[in-house]
Amino acid sequence: MNMILRELKASRRSLIFWMAGILAMVAGGMSKYGSIQDSGQSMNDMMAAMPKSLQALFGIGSVDLSTVLGYYVVVFAYVLLMAAIHAGLLGANVIAKEERDKTAEFLMSKPVSRMQVLKSKLAAALFMIVIFNSTVLVVSVLMVQHYGGGNEDAGRLAILMMLLYLVQVLFLSAGAAIAAVSKKPKQAVSLSAGVILITYLLSIVIELSENLEVLRFATPFKYFEAKEVLFDIGGDWMFIALSVVLSGVLLIVAFTVYQKRDLNV
Amino acid sequence: MNVIEIKNLTKTYGSSRGIEDVSFSVEEGEIFGFIGPNGAGKSTTLRTMLSIIYPTSGSVTIFGKDSVKDAPEIKKEIGYLPSEVFYYDNMRVKDLLKYSASFYKKDCRKRIAEMAEIMDLDLNKKIDDLSYGNRKKVGIVQGLLHEPKLIILDEPTGGLDPLMQQKFFELLKEENRKGATILFSSHILSEVQKMCDRVAIIKEGRIIAVEKISTLKENNHKKIRIETKIPVDAAIFEFTGVTNVEQDENTISFLYSGDINVIMQKLAGIELANLWVEEPDLEEIFMHYYEKEE
């Protein structure tokens, strides 16, 4: 418990910044909806006139921007990217920082096993992404209700957040596995950032080209589509299972390697 | 009973030297010195003992338990002061010490206050703002606050002024009186000489001697220095038992171990202006060990 608390305290400030970022992104993004609400259809026409590549870049694939949830789908694309960056960097950071800041020698001279250290750090990180996720949920529900006149389905948003959480956990596990395996703590965080960037770019490429659907497996950004979750079918069970299994495998890798390798001090 | 038993411990890593076939043991209640120049493998040995890094081969047994398998159990009774002290920057000294204490099922508050008093350490300062010496003090308190049965110190005196060193040594001696075993690594002989009962000497990753300090001092080495009236060729001292011959014009000095009559007869044949026969200090014996190895 002491290690979990320490971790939470250490990341407190950064988490507050991220929460402010979510607020700015969701509230700021949705407030734009307020200003285009009246000219909704013309907005749709303008977007439709844009080349497909630009549409993909903005995260606008065939959604109706004149509805509040349609508009929210666009905002959510950025929230998803933020969540992935937050979780991926957090996962790498909680583990790599003891070695990077040279506190590993202090920590490992205490009566704790590597297993306990890793468990505590991941527990703290999982808790922090819950906070991140809840913030997104609360701000999103408030904004969508505000601009939608209170008629929108908050339950759908809650399901969306659960799927978001799975993706967060996956990126967190990937970051943790990278940091646990990497012998150079300073590289772990940048490697993790690289993985996020590559999978994100891949998701855009998939969006652009119809015949690359099969690559959806390779990028968690494509494990679910906000527009599908919000408008009809919900999540895809196969991808939900895939993200759970992948997270599990990555965590097993993290635990196995971290217990066996020499710490870099 | 042996508190520490190191058997044929080898640790090799990529680029750095590591250690090879290190074996020694430390008895309960002993203050054991671990001495060698920087980079000889002292920290590698200590870190392997603490499972911060793992042995390539060989084993370490502490309190009769395996240092890898039973690491968390063993560490309950170990206090460790690393050679370079790094702590969570944003913490205050007292928070760091509280955090450190939270790993042990003991109330350490009184002890923290006591030691901070002795070491003259301001508990309310941020660790960021501390000087090297003050960080070292945090390290000392952090390592001793749970009254460990085994204290492992890696170059503990760096950055401490002589007065503080004195207080620190007294603190250690007090712990030792209460029953703690101490493993004291250093490259400074005089402090090891002051503190320790026995020493292991490590050089380029290998243990070259494990000796009692008293044996080291009494192994019959004499430091002899002569001043001659006319220049003499130092080559006349090239015979068994003579080492470290140095000549500076009319002065020749060397270390001698062997039958004292032999050297006296030799000296009697020379026209002397002056003669000094001294006990060599540990430093010189130490260098002697090193040269013998080469």
Side-chain angles (χ1 to χ4, degrees):
Chain A
M1 202 61 200
N2 56 349
M3 284 186 281
I4 299 180
L5 288 177
R6 171 89 276 280
E7 210 54 61
L8 291 176
K9 246 183 204 166
S11 309
R12 192 174 41 185
R13 193 172 300 169
S14 122
L15 187 60
I16 290 171
F17 278 117
W18 278 101
M19 288 165 76
I22 296 165
L23 189 70
M25 177 65 73
V26 178
M30 291 307 286
S31 75
K32 290 274 189 308
Y33 174 76
S35 59
I36 63 155
Q37 204 169 10
D38 309 322
S39 58
Q41 198 47 49
S42 59
M43 188 70 182
N44 269 340
D45 297 340
M46 193 181 95
M47 290 300 170
M50 276 205 304
K52 183 122 199 287
S53 54
L54 266 184
Q55 287 184 20
L57 212 57
F58 285 118
I60 314 157
S62 62
V63 284
D64 183 358
L65 287 177
S66 63
T67 66
V68 66
L69 280 183
Y71 193 87
Y72 179 76
V73 168
V74 179
V75 173
F76 183 79
Y78 297 97
V79 173
L80 177 61
L81 179 60
M82 278 174 75
I85 294 172
H86 173 252
L89 298 188
L90 182 67
N93 219 348
V94 281
I95 295 171
K97 70 177 176 189
E98 299 283 348
E99 289 171 89
R100 186 195 60 208
D101 301 342
K102 308 217 174 272
T103 49
E105 209 170 9
F106 164 83
L107 189 60
M108 289 321 299
S109 72
K110 304 295 164 202
V112 286
S113 63
R114 302 259 181 108
M115 180 79 150
Q116 286 165 301
V117 169
L118 210 49
K119 269 190 196 163
S120 307
K121 285 179 170 287
L122 289 173
L126 283 170
F127 180 71
M128 284 187 269
I129 60 174
V130 169
I131 303 269
F132 186 106
N133 192 287
S134 311
T135 311
V136 176
L137 179 64
V138 169
V139 179
S140 299
V141 169
L142 287 177
M143 286 298 132
V144 168
Q145 295 297 7
H146 177 70
Y147 290 108
N151 311 319
E152 302 299 335
D153 185 359
R156 288 267 168 179
L157 282 174
I159 294 172
L160 185 65
M161 291 315 138
M162 282 178 211
L163 293 167
L164 174 66
Y165 193 68
L166 289 181
V167 172
Q168 285 177 288
V169 171
L170 181 50
F171 275 109
L172 180 76
S173 311
I178 290 170
V181 172
S182 165
K183 282 183 182 147
K184 290 183 181 151
K186 278 178 192 154
Q187 276 178 7
V189 177
S190 21
L191 255 168
S192 186
V195 168
I196 297 164
L197 185 67
I198 288 168
T199 50
Y200 183 68
L201 290 178
L202 183 61
S203 76
I204 290 185
V205 171
I206 293 171
E207 185 79 16
L208 283 176
S209 151
E210 279 119 26
N211 45 19
L212 288 176
E213 271 294 289
V214 63
L215 286 176
R216 276 185 73 185
F217 290 100
T219 169
F221 288 102
K222 280 284 170 196
Y223 281 10
F224 69 91
E225 299 279 353
K227 58 174 183 268
E228 288 171 11
V229 179
L230 291 177
F231 292 112
D232 42 40
I233 47 172
D236 184 334
W237 285 108
M238 190 174 64
F239 284 104
I240 291 174
L242 180 64
S243 67
V244 172
V245 170
L246 270 182
S247 302
V249 169
L250 287 165
L251 288 179
I252 290 170
V253 168
F255 275 102
T256 316
V257 178
Y258 194 69
Q259 290 196 77
K260 283 192 185 144
R261 83 167 158 93
D262 290 341
L263 292 181
N264 191 333
V265 285
Chain B
M1 193 195 110
N2 286 336
V3 169
I4 303 173
E5 261 178 66
I6 302 181
K7 278 188 198 139
N8 310 106
L9 187 67
T10 296
K11 175 69 192 172
T12 47
Y13 351 37
S15 52
S16 51
R17 170 156 43 224
I19 49 172
E20 223 178 306
D21 203 22
V22 165
S23 298
F24 64 87
S25 47
V26 179
E27 287 161 31
E28 188 169 8
E30 212 176 359
I31 304 185
F32 191 91
F34 190 35
I35 193 146
N38 294 325
K42 300 190 295 290
S43 296
T44 303
T45 310
L46 301 187
R47 284 168 182 164
T48 313
M49 291 171 63
L50 288 158
S51 294
I52 292 164
I53 53 179
Y54 295 120
T56 308
S57 64
S59 69
V60 180
T61 313
I62 299 174
F63 307 127
K65 292 176 184 137
D66 183 74
S67 75
V68 176
K69 216 166 72 251
D70 303 312
E73 182 65 27
I74 291 171
K75 287 176 199 167
K76 282 182 190 164
E77 294 296 347
I78 293 183
Y80 173 55
L81 173 63
S83 58
E84 288 172 79
V85 279
F86 291 99
Y87 297 118
Y88 308 92
D89 275 349
N90 270 319
M91 289 173 106
R92 285 177 197 285
V93 174
K94 63 175 172 199
D95 295 328
L96 186 276
L97 295 176
K98 244 190 243 167
Y99 181 49
S100 183
S102 71
F103 287 95
Y104 308 99
K105 291 184 182 76
K106 279 180 188 170
D107 183 2
C108 307
R109 277 173 298 182
K110 193 168 147 242
R111 179 121 168 107
I112 291 173
E114 265 173 28
M115 279 195 289
E117 176 76 37
I118 296 171
M119 301 302 294
D120 192 19
L121 178 65
D122 184 350
L123 292 177
N124 289 311
K125 277 225 166 115
K126 282 231 169 189
I127 292 178
D128 272 338
D129 304 335
L130 293 183
S131 66
Y132 179 59
N134 277 320
R135 276 175 182 241
K136 203 88 192 183
K137 289 185 202 169
V138 178
I140 292 166
V141 178
Q142 165 277 135
L144 299 179
L145 53 80
H146 55 297
E147 296 176 90
K149 286 195 189 123
L150 172 61
I151 302 169
I152 299 177
L153 308 159
D154 194 358
E155 305 276 359
T157 54
L160 294 181
D161 59 55
L163 186 68
M164 220 25 92
Q165 272 187 33
Q166 199 51 45
K167 284 182 176 176
F168 172 52
F169 285 159
E170 277 162 24
L171 206 62
L172 287 179
K173 284 192 170 143
E174 180 57 31
E175 288 308 302
N176 183 243
R177 258 195 299 278
K178 288 193 281 181
T181 308
I182 300 175
L183 176 58
F184 188 112
S185 140
S186 176
H187 68 281
I188 303 161
L189 260 156
S190 56
E191 58 185 37
V192 169
Q193 186 172 5
K194 239 189 282 178
M195 290 290 297
C196 301
D197 312 320
R198 287 196 304 149
V199 286
I201 301 174
I202 186 168
K203 179 194 180 188
E204 288 170 11
R206 289 172 168 277
I207 299 286
I208 54 176
V210 179
E211 293 272 19
K212 280 188 174 157
I213 290 276
S214 49
T215 317
L216 274 184
K217 282 161 100 178
E218 73 191 17
N219 67 354
N220 286 325
H221 277 90
K222 298 281 180 228
K223 183 178 163 188
I224 298 174
R225 188 151 62 97
I226 57 169
E227 196 183 326
T228 53
K229 285 186 173 158
I230 45 162
V232 175
D233 185 2
I236 63 164
F237 290 108
E238 276 172 13
F239 58 94
T240 323
V242 175
T243 46
N244 296 24
V245 183
E246 276 170 42
Q247 183 167 28
D248 180 21
E249 287 179 24
N250 286 357
T251 311
I252 299 172
S253 66
F254 53 88
L255 285 178
Y256 178 71
S257 110
D259 187 345
I260 200 75
N261 294 304
V262 175
I263 191 70
M264 290 318 285
Q265 275 164 20
K266 203 82 178 176
L267 289 174
I270 306 168
E271 188 94 350
L272 294 177
N274 215 335
L275 167 69
W276 297 263
V277 180
E278 294 165 338
E279 289 292 316
D281 55 30
L282 210 47
E283 198 92 27
E284 281 159 306
I285 298 171
F286 185 62
M287 291 316 293
H288 169 71
Y289 261 98
Y290 268 174
E291 276 157 20
K292 203 165 65 181
E293 273 287 307
E294 268 156 15

